[in-house]
Amino acid sequence: MEMEATISLLDMRLLVPELTLICVGLILMLLDLVVRKKELIAAVGIAGTLVAMYGTYKLYGFYNPQAAFAGMFVVDGYSNFFKLIFYLNIILTICISLKYMAIEKASFGEYYALLMFSSTGMMIMASAADLIILYLGLELMALSTYILAGFMRNQPRSNEAALKYFFLGAFSSAFLLYGISLTYGLTGTTNLKGIAEALSTLSIMDNPITYLGLIFIIVAFGFKIALVPFHMWAPDVYEGSPTSITAFMSVGPKAAGFAVLGRVLFDAFAGMQVQWAAILVPIAVLTMATGSIIALAQTNIKRMLAYSSIAHAGYMLLGIIAGTHDGLTSTVNYLMIYLFMNIGAFAIVIMLRREGVQGENLDDYMGLSKSHPLASALMLIFMFSLAGIPPTAGFVGKFYVFMEAINAGYVYMALIAVVFSAISAFFYLRVVMYMYMKDPVKEVELTTSPSMSIALAVTAMMVLIFGIFPSILLNLVRLSILG
Amino acid sequence: MTTPQLFFAYFAVAMTVLSLLVVTRRSPVHSIMWMLVLFIHIAALYLFLNAEFLAAIQIIVYAGAILVLFLFVIMMLNLKKEETAKKYQAQWPVSAGIAIILAAFLVLILGKIVVLPSLGEYSIEAVKTEGIMMTTGKVLYTEFLLPFEIASIVLLVAIIGAVVLAKKRIE
């Protein structure tokens, strides 16, 4: 594994999007000193993200995958598509948090800066071709997200969310480092391609220590993606965090976790596909089962969506288990769809929050269609999509993942997934039933703002467009991953 | 048993005992003091492995900075209450069981460790000829420049986080 040891200034070119986001984060913090209007800070944040997006688009124009910094950092279609997910995640999160954070009395400039830093960490993870870069990217993402989870300092449950997330996150980091050190000890390199090479040339694939390293790495990523049995933190953290941050972290860190899981398993441990599929199959079944069944008992909508996000991680895992590039494509496709439907659903949850009213219980949705038909219709779209009912995008996402699982010979996994998907429809449709078939018990007022309307319009439109014309998105993902 | 083996055996046993002392002491201050002894043992073990740079870092960062941080936190706690409070939760046997199973598993596969000749660019010999300070410095500022810089941003976020979580409420 001969690596070029020299680093040229030209390597910085590939870092332009990440550097842009970091600069934007710093500018936002300085702006916070002089600007009182949070709208301006949010607008600068969105503009900066668009600039970074343009940078990624320009780099993507080079098409062929490029590596920099002695092969540690790669920019290819795979990483660029994930970066697109992260950009959209930032923009949509900023749109839905503007009014909400003001109501929570926690509207500080650092909030927007930390969104930038956290997303930079995710982008570094997506581009990492070396376990050390991967770990540092993960820490950057995680550390920023812990702070964001505890952003409502005056609320005990937000403090609890931040602490829980921090402790279990630190715990999972230890697992990751243990796995990395075992792998490094065996192969003598932290480079993903180098690991794959060493594993085959030294013929140590069936060494138990290699397994142990692999298991520890999967466990660590399992914590970030909230796979069962590493999901214990998710419901409490999702419930206690500011709702906009719950939306942000149910998409961003999850997508970043899948990005590194796919990269590490497909690049470094490509030769051990049978082994890691055997580890992931029971995890996926448990994840789908726990997520779908425990969600049935929830009355708090944020907790319900937390369990729903656990179940969705189980479905997405099927594409990885398939072990083919088509399988990976279906997972990435699902992640993009999940971004829109999940943030859309959380946007509606945020709208019910106003001064003195939490608006997080299922009861708050009783008869919502009578007083707010438009918001109810949008929630109906998002719930149908999360449940996977056509013609919404959620159906398309699930369909392709299940199809790829069947193509790879995992028919029984697809069957199990369909069963749990049917079970999960119950709690999604219960929200719809509450909105449309119950009589309103109390006056519900919605908090609206222009940015919120834009976010809702975009997410709902995308859910419908990708549901009716699935090939638009799928071709883009295929182009990115398969080249 | 050769001298290096004896040396290693002492440190392995001592570090296990010290770790147990850290988690079982009733008084948090005692725990911290045992931890200090533990940190010095770890530093000595690094020296034994020809990693004098890591040994110095271990003393400066862990024994110096992190331990002081622990002591500061303990100063803020109500020690009287801590000492009478129940030290372990009800589920501790389960945790201990899982830990023992994992330890047994690790011991079982220890024998499977393969020591491959001169692995990677930085083999023990290569590091020995140049000295660990030289190698670490060279690698850190050339090949591992990007990780080094990312770490600086992680630290920046930590500072921002401390300020955000600790500053006085604005309203």
Side-chain angles (χ1 to χ4, degrees), chain A residues 3 7 15 22 29 72 108 110 117 132-133 136 140 143-144 147 150-151 153-154 186 207-209 212, chain B residues 105-106 109 112-114 116 119 121 142-144 146-147 153-154 156-157 160-161 164-165 167 169-170:
Chain A
M3 286 182 293
I7 288 165
L15 273 180
I22 289 172
M29 280 200 300
M72 284 184 175
F108 308 123
E110 290 92 346
F117 291 130
I132 293 183
I133 300 265
L136 284 166
L140 180 57
L143 202 59
S144 319
I147 304 163
F151 217 81
R153 276 174 304 148
N154 46 347
L186 274 179
N207 189 304
I209 310 239
L212 198 64
Chain B
F105 184 63
L106 282 173
I109 65 161
K112 296 288 196 295
I113 286 185
V114 275
L116 296 152
L119 219 51
E121 286 172 76
T142 56
E143 206 181 305
F144 285 80
L146 181 62
I153 300 175
V154 175
L156 174 71
V157 169
I160 297 170
V164 166
L165 294 180
K167 75 177 172 188
R169 273 200 66 186
I170 287 178

Side-chain angles (χ1 to χ4, degrees), chain B:
Chain B
M1 239 189 219
T2 58
T3 322
Q5 277 175 333
L6 267 178
F7 196 82
F8 184 81
Y10 162 70
F11 277 102
V13 173
M15 278 159 65
T16 315
V17 173
L18 286 169
S19 312
L20 283 173
L21 283 172
V22 171
V23 293
T24 51
R25 292 307 87 193
R26 190 153 274 287
S27 151
V29 178
H30 288 181
S31 290
I32 293 284
M33 286 303 139
W34 284 120
M35 199 183 247
L36 177 64
V37 184
L38 175 67
F39 283 162
I40 293 170
H41 274 70
I42 295 175
L45 199 61
Y46 282 140
L47 269 185
F48 175 63
L49 295 170
N50 286 321
E52 63 269 18
F53 178 65
L54 275 185
I57 293 290
Q58 172 75 21
I59 297 284
I60 297 170
V61 175
Y62 281 84
I66 293 183
L67 213 74
V68 174
L69 201 68
F70 273 130
L71 281 173
F72 268 124
V73 174
I74 286 177
M75 272 162 37
M76 285 191 262
L77 297 175
N78 185 350
L79 277 191
K80 287 274 171 309
K81 217 169 118 194
E82 284 295 314
E83 280 177 31
T84 48
K86 236 172 84 184
K87 198 166 169 62
Y88 299 109
Q89 305 293 321
Q91 63 267 40
W92 80 267
V94 183
S95 317
I98 292 173
I100 287 169
I101 290 170
L102 187 63
F105 184 63
L106 282 173
V107 169
L108 270 182
I109 65 161
L110 264 186
K112 296 288 196 295
I113 286 185
V114 275
V115 182
L116 296 152
S118 76
L119 219 51
E121 286 172 76
Y122 305 104
S123 60
I124 296 170
E125 283 70 34
V127 174
K128 255 184 193 164
T129 49
E130 263 199 333
I132 192 156
M133 288 290 275
M134 186 79 122
T135 337
T136 313
K138 262 188 182 168
V139 168
L140 207 55
Y141 290 103
T142 56
E143 206 181 305
F144 285 80
L145 186 65
L146 181 62
F148 187 73
E149 295 300 337
I150 298 174
S152 69
I153 300 175
V154 175
L155 289 178
L156 174 71
V157 169
I159 298 170
I160 297 170
V163 173
V164 166
L165 294 180
K167 75 177 172 188
K168 259 187 157 171
R169 273 200 66 186
I170 287 178
E171 26 217 312

Side-chain angles (χ1 to χ4, degrees), chain A residues 149 157 161 165 223-226 233-254 300 302-310 338 342 346 360:
Chain A
R157 66 173 195 167
Y165 198 19
F223 267 105
K224 289 286 168 250
I225 306 174
W233 57 273
D236 290 340
V237 173
Y238 280 26
E239 188 190 345
S241 305
T243 312
S244 50
I245 289 307
T246 310
F248 176 76
M249 69 184 176
S250 67
V251 174
K254 201 184 279 283
N300 179 301
K302 276 168 86 177
R303 270 189 103 77
M304 190 201 93
L305 285 172
Y307 282 105
S308 131
S309 106
I310 292 171
Y338 182 71
N342 210 43
F346 274 113
E360 285 171 17

Side-chain angles (χ1 to χ4, degrees), chain A residues 181-388:
Chain A
S181 69
L182 286 176
T183 312
Y184 175 68
L186 274 179
T187 58
T189 175
T190 49
N191 189 286
L192 296 184
K193 289 259 160 39
I195 290 171
E197 231 176 273
L199 282 180
S200 62
T201 51
L202 302 170
S203 57
I204 41 175
M205 282 199 199
D206 45 7
N207 189 304
I209 310 239
T210 318
Y211 289 156
L212 198 64
L214 175 64
I215 291 173
F216 277 151
I217 291 176
I218 290 179
V219 166
F221 294 158
F223 267 105
K224 289 286 168 250
I225 306 174
L227 299 175
V228 180
F230 319 113
H231 69 290
M232 310 77 91
W233 57 273
D236 290 340
V237 173
Y238 280 26
E239 188 190 345
S241 305
T243 312
S244 50
I245 289 307
T246 310
F248 176 76
M249 69 184 176
S250 67
V251 174
K254 201 184 279 283
F258 270 105
V260 289
L261 188 67
R263 178 88 78 184
V264 169
L265 293 185
F266 279 71
D267 276 7
F269 293 99
M272 299 174 66
Q273 208 245 314
V274 182
Q275 285 90 337
W276 53 251
I279 301 170
L280 290 180
V281 163
I283 292 182
V285 173
L286 270 179
T287 307
M288 290 185 284
T290 312
S292 318
I293 293 170
I294 301 188
L296 298 175
Q298 305 306 321
T299 51
N300 179 301
I301 192 131
K302 276 168 86 177
R303 270 189 103 77
M304 190 201 93
L305 285 172
Y307 282 105
S308 131
S309 106
I310 292 171
H312 281 282
Y315 306 133
M316 291 172 201
L317 206 54
L318 290 184
I320 304 260
I321 289 173
T324 55
H325 279 90
D326 285 327
L328 197 60
T329 308
S330 67
T331 296
V332 177
N333 179 51
Y334 199 131
L335 274 165
M336 184 56 117
I337 290 170
Y338 182 71
L339 163 90
F340 290 114
M341 58 190 187
N342 210 43
I343 291 195
F346 274 113
I348 302 279
V349 176
I350 285 179
M351 282 172 76
L352 264 75
R353 168 84 171 108
R354 70 203 136 98
E355 212 82 53
V357 181
Q358 285 288 353
E360 285 171 17
N361 278 323
L362 270 180
D363 297 347
D364 294 314
Y365 290 82
M366 276 190 189
L368 196 68
S369 66
K370 308 272 188 314
S371 51
H372 303 282
L374 184 61
S376 307
L378 288 171
M379 192 61 162
L380 175 101
I381 293 174
F382 297 131
M383 286 296 133
F384 271 25
S385 185
L386 283 167

